[in-house]
Amino acid sequence: MTFSKDIQKLSKKYQETDEEFFEELEEILIRTDMGMELVLKISHNLQKKAKKLSISELKEALVEELYNAYDIRHHGNSELNFKPGRTNIFMLVGVNGTGKTTSLAKIANYYLENDAKVMIIAADTFRAGAVEQLEEWNRNRLDNQVTIVKGKSKQDPSSVIFDGLQKAKEDNFDIVLIDTAGRLQNKVNLMAELKKMYDVVHKFDKSGPHEVLLTIDATTGQNGISQANEFKDITDVSGLILTKMDGTSKGGIALAIKDKMQIPVKMVGIGENVDDLIPFDVEDYLYGLVEGFMEEEVHNKETKVVDKNDAKG
């Protein structure tokens, strides 16, 4: 990963930490889309430790700062809020092009594999082809195991949701996944409509929706922050789905949003296949960011031990 390689180059370039070292470190962190505020916080904390640490030790301190940024000790809320014995209601929201509808179909597959009875409510009644896309996924990828509730083109999405929830309750579905239109956060009328849909769910079940999942393209940069902010104001976003995490070095947006808004990542998209949406594991994620230069540290330590043994021999 580019981040690991850049840190390796930086540690080899400098023998001691000075102002230029930290300027370059900040530039590297910024390129991961962590955001300026978080980057400066991490840099400030490292500078306070720098006088007592070698370059090698400072890299280990950087890992610790990254873990603290995601609050590794309190990440239990990264699990999806699914409980047996109730009709779990998940809403998916997000702007066009982030992979929202595709992610919804992949979540359906995830719960099908866990023997759940799954319903999808196709409440994106304004985008041509949205329902067809879900039906195609169900037919070609999900073996027609999902019940899809749909309305007419341009029908009030809230009425489609109401009808679907009634059916889900009558037929004892384990989980209902609600697809919504790809809102543009500056379209006030569309956001108001999304709020109406949220209120319909909450009126149906006072504890619902049990998840409001915002899909964000991991390569979107700091625009992901503004998206999260706008959607959280309307629907109380409970978690993120980060798409396009396969091979990208831009996943720092997960740290930025968690640090700034306390919204955890719950699922990550790592490919195009139906099972390429997996639960987010913060330890795996952070290890993926730093594995290159941490493996180098282990190798260097092992080499030193071998050298010492050779010297004794």
Side-chain angles (χ1 to χ4, degrees):
M1 186 170 282
T2 302
F3 177 72
S4 292
K5 292 179 180 178
D6 287 345
I7 296 295
Q8 286 182 32
K9 291 177 183 177
L10 182 67
S11 64
K12 291 176 181 178
K13 180 178 178 180
Y14 291 90
Q15 298 301 313
E16 58 183 27
T17 57
D18 55 18
E19 187 174 339
E20 289 185 359
F21 171 88
F22 281 105
E23 286 179 358
E24 289 196 35
L25 174 61
E26 289 169 7
E27 290 175 2
I28 292 171
L29 294 173
I30 288 170
R31 287 199 293 271
T32 70
D33 285 334
M34 289 182 193
M36 182 60 74
E37 185 176 333
L38 179 57
V39 167
L40 292 178
K41 182 190 298 185
I42 291 174
S43 178
H44 176 71
N45 290 342
L46 290 175
Q47 288 181 55
K48 289 194 296 184
K49 302 175 182 178
K51 293 180 180 179
K52 301 178 181 179
L53 302 176
S54 65
I55 293 286
S56 175
E57 291 170 329
L58 199 67
K59 287 200 293 185
E60 295 183 17
L62 172 58
V63 175
E64 182 180 348
E65 289 297 327
L66 293 176
Y67 270 69
N68 289 339
Y70 203 89
D71 197 7
I72 187 73
R73 293 157 296 183
H74 303 98
H75 66 274
N77 61 353
S78 65
E79 295 182 0
L80 290 169
N81 182 23
F82 179 93
K83 293 183 179 179
R86 75 177 181 192
T87 300
N88 295 274
I89 307 169
F90 292 4
M91 288 181 67
L92 271 74
V93 299
V95 301
N96 285 327
T98 58
K100 172 177 54 61
T101 302
T102 299
S103 294
L104 181 142
K106 291 179 179 180
I107 292 176
N109 178 71
Y110 176 78
Y111 282 105
L112 285 173
E113 291 183 342
N114 286 278
D115 299 321
K117 188 176 181 181
V118 181
M119 173 187 287
I120 290 176
I121 299 178
D124 184 355
T125 60
F126 291 92
R127 182 169 68 89
V131 175
E132 289 80 3
Q133 184 181 357
L134 286 170
E135 289 179 326
E136 182 180 350
W137 269 91
N138 191 29
R139 183 171 56 253
N140 297 332
R141 309 284 189 93
L142 305 176
D143 297 326
N144 284 316
Q145 297 180 77
V146 172
T147 297
I148 298 180
V149 174
K150 59 184 179 180
K152 299 177 181 178
S153 177
K154 305 298 191 292
Q155 182 178 340
D156 178 7
S158 296
S159 68
V160 180
I161 291 173
F162 180 81
D163 292 342
L165 291 177
Q166 292 283 25
K167 179 177 176 57
K169 183 178 181 180
E170 292 168 2
D171 295 343
N172 295 314
F173 278 81
D174 297 304
I175 184 166
V176 178
L177 302 170
I178 302 175
D179 191 23
T180 63
R183 319 274 153 191
L184 295 175
Q185 59 265 36
N186 58 347
K187 298 288 184 69
V188 176
N189 58 326
L190 291 178
M191 294 302 282
E193 181 188 288
L194 186 60
K195 176 64 164 60
K196 180 182 175 182
M197 296 160 70
Y198 179 91
D199 290 343
V200 166
V201 174
H202 188 63
K203 187 174 182 180
F204 177 84
D205 184 337
K206 295 299 182 184
S207 67
H210 304 106
E211 289 282 7
V212 179
L213 300 171
L214 172 62
T215 57
I216 290 181
D217 182 331
T219 66
T220 197
Q222 289 301 293
N223 189 41
I225 295 285
S226 63
Q227 290 177 28
N229 193 43
E230 295 291 343
F231 280 98
K232 187 173 177 62
D233 285 346
I234 297 297
T235 62
D236 194 21
V237 173
S238 58
L240 303 180
I241 298 175
L242 275 185
T243 60
K244 302 181 185 178
M245 282 289 284
D246 47 326
T248 178
S249 62
K250 295 294 189 177
I253 191 66
L255 292 172
I257 294 177
K258 182 65 166 62
D259 176 71
K260 197 174 184 66
M261 306 181 65
Q262 292 303 302
I263 302 176
V265 179
K266 300 211 171 184
M267 305 287 282
V268 291
I270 57 172
E272 299 299 322
N273 294 324
V274 69
D275 55 356
D276 284 340
L277 187 73
I278 60 175
F280 178 70
D281 186 310
V282 65
E283 293 185 6
D284 287 348
Y285 163 73
L286 291 174
Y287 178 74
L289 281 179
V290 305
E291 62 177 326
F293 65 82
M294 289 312 296
E295 286 174 355
E296 180 191 40
E297 286 303 309
V298 172
H299 173 74
N300 289 342
K301 289 178 181 178
E302 290 176 346
T303 301
K304 289 179 181 178
V305 170
V306 171
D307 290 344
K308 286 181 180 179
N309 289 338
D310 287 345
K312 291 178 181 179

